[in-house]
Amino acid sequence: MSDTTALPAAYEISCDPGRLDPARIHRWLSTDAYWALGRSREQQDRAIEGSLNFGAYDRTSGELVAYARVVTDRATFAWLCDVYVDRAARGKGIGTALVEAVRDHLGPLGLRRVLLATDDAHGVYAKAGFVPLGDPQKWMALGPGELR
């Protein structure tokens, strides 16, 4: 496992659902995240409700500056998704520290696997120990067109 990136002192990470800002999360994801463009607020709220959520917050203002969501049974499997850092907070190591905090939080659960998908942030996830699937030909998926 890789070393842990220091979160800048001006920020803190929490998985307290009461601290989340669902409207801000929805705005970020539905308007600026290629994987969630156009996602409805209702759909995003359901996703938050059914997931383990992490936020990075400005210690002074309490403002949410980054978000990550984990879909998990807390026993065998987890999927890390919806990782987003506010454009104004990027370049400070917050995203890497957030992903590492998620990894460290999940570690004691004894999960067999944590998956994620990304088009453009492989370097961020590699710093937290993620590697490409060893046997991708074993994996299959149902897409939106197959779900009835």
Side-chain angles (χ1 to χ4, degrees):
M1 191 160 334
S2 64
D3 293 330
T4 300
T5 301
L7 181 68
Y11 302 95
E12 63 184 337
I13 294 173
S14 172
C15 57
D16 176 358
R19 294 187 68 185
L20 294 173
D21 182 344
R24 185 177 183 106
I25 294 166
H26 175 254
R27 185 176 66 253
W28 282 340
L29 297 178
S30 68
T31 65
D32 195 40
Y34 67 84
W35 65 90
L37 293 175
R39 185 181 291 171
S40 74
R41 174 66 192 267
E42 185 272 333
Q43 190 177 32
Q44 184 61 51
D45 287 348
R46 281 190 293 134
I48 290 170
E49 180 66 28
S51 300
L52 175 59
N53 301 278
F54 293 79
Y57 300 88
D58 181 290
R59 286 186 189 273
T60 302
S61 68
E63 180 181 48
L64 180 69
V65 298
Y67 174 72
R69 183 168 70 87
V70 179
V71 180
T72 183
D73 60 9
R74 293 177 169 85
T76 63
F77 179 81
W79 174 44
L80 174 59
C81 55
D82 289 346
V83 178
Y84 186 91
V85 178
D86 185 89
R87 288 188 175 275
R90 291 182 186 172
K92 300 175 183 178
I94 295 168
T96 299
L98 180 61
V99 171
E100 290 173 347
V102 170
R103 176 201 64 202
D104 295 347
H105 183 91
L106 297 175
L109 300 178
L111 305 175
R112 288 185 48 123
R113 185 166 285 112
V114 178
L115 292 180
L116 63 84
T118 185
D119 279 349
D120 59 0
H122 296 79
V124 170
Y125 299 110
K127 290 176 188 175
F130 284 88
V131 297
L133 286 174
D135 292 317
Q137 67 278 4
K138 290 182 179 181
W139 294 87
M140 299 179 75
L142 284 174
E146 290 83 31
L147 297 173
R148 301 184 209 294

